[in-house]
Amino acid sequence: TDPNEAYTKELVMKNADKVFVLADSSKIGVESFAVSGELSYMNALITDSEVDENVAKQLNRNNIEIIY
C-alpha cells in the first residue's frame, strides 16, 4: 500500500522476463491505495480456487495463466 514500494515493484515487473503474482482470492478485484503495475506485466497468477469465474475468464483472455 506504500506508493514508493509500489513504484519499485512496478519497475521490477517491467524489467522481468516473467511475472508471477501470488494473491489469495480475497485480494483479487479489490481496489488498493497504490498500484504496483499493469495487468499486461503478469504471466501467471498463483491463487486459491475461490477466484470469481468472470475474473478467471478475463485473465485467460489476457493470456495470464492461473495456477491454483
Side-chain angles (χ1 to χ4, degrees):
T1 60
D2 180 292
N4 294 322
E5 186 176 319
Y7 176 74
T8 302
K9 287 179 182 180
E10 182 168 5
L11 286 177
V12 170
M13 286 189 281
K14 231 184 216 184
N15 292 295
D17 291 330
K18 292 193 177 200
V19 175
F20 294 81
V21 174
L22 174 63
D24 68 68
S25 60
S26 70
K27 302 291 185 202
I28 300 169
V30 176
E31 286 191 40
S32 176
F33 176 73
V35 176
S36 298
E38 298 177 19
L39 192 61
S40 63
Y41 299 156
M42 287 177 58
N43 295 96
L45 169 67
I46 303 169
T47 190
D48 59 81
S49 61
E50 301 299 316
V51 174
D52 181 86
E53 186 178 327
N54 292 325
V55 172
K57 286 178 183 178
Q58 179 185 9
L59 293 172
N60 287 324
R61 281 193 302 270
N62 286 283
N63 296 317
I64 298 170
E65 179 182 7
I66 302 174
I67 302 168
Y68 297 100

